Amino acid sequence: MTMHNPPHPGEFIIEVYLQPYGISARELARRLDVAPSTLSRILKGRSRVTPDMALRLSKVLGRSPESWLAMQDAHDLWVARQHTNLERVSKLELVMA
């Protein structure tokens, strides 16, 4: 079962961590040891969560790196489904020779 419009990890970070706890993006960037502009691109949904960032987010926010990457993949797949035309794509029938 696929989720309808899964959030980008940046949106999730804002809604679950920054807003409820009054944490600034600058403070989170400092804790992650990344430039504020790097984190800003993720928070705005302009950049993906990479494996490196997933490790950093895991250490700072406590979720597993795999969960951050899975969230990013779910979002990316949902976006691709909205924009990819598969009408001319056909299944390859595999038969052992």
Side-chain angles (χ1 to χ4, degrees):
M1 184 171 154
T2 58
M3 182 187 275
H4 178 70
N5 193 7
H8 184 278
E11 180 183 346
F12 181 82
I13 291 167
I14 291 169
E15 291 179 6
V16 174
Y17 296 102
L18 300 186
Q19 288 177 344
Y21 296 100
I23 300 167
S24 71
R26 223 170 243 294
E27 174 62 16
L28 181 57
R30 186 182 71 75
R31 300 277 180 146
L32 292 167
D33 192 31
V34 298
S37 60
T38 299
L39 180 60
S40 177
R41 285 190 300 275
I42 291 171
L43 295 178
K44 292 177 180 177
R46 294 183 185 146
S47 290
R48 303 183 81 250
V49 169
T50 62
D52 174 77
M53 182 59 77
L55 290 169
R56 293 169 186 271
L57 289 167
S58 176
K59 183 163 184 179
V60 173
L61 299 177
R63 297 173 58 94
S64 73
E66 293 83 2
S67 71
W68 290 110
L69 293 174
M71 187 182 306
Q72 182 67 61
D73 285 345
H75 174 77
D76 291 348
L77 185 56
W78 185 86
V79 170
R81 282 188 172 127
Q82 308 312 303
H83 302 298
T84 303
N85 183 345
L86 298 175
E87 288 180 17
R88 293 177 38 154
V89 177
S90 62
K91 183 173 181 168
L92 178 64
E93 297 295 329
L94 301 174
V95 178
M96 297 292 277

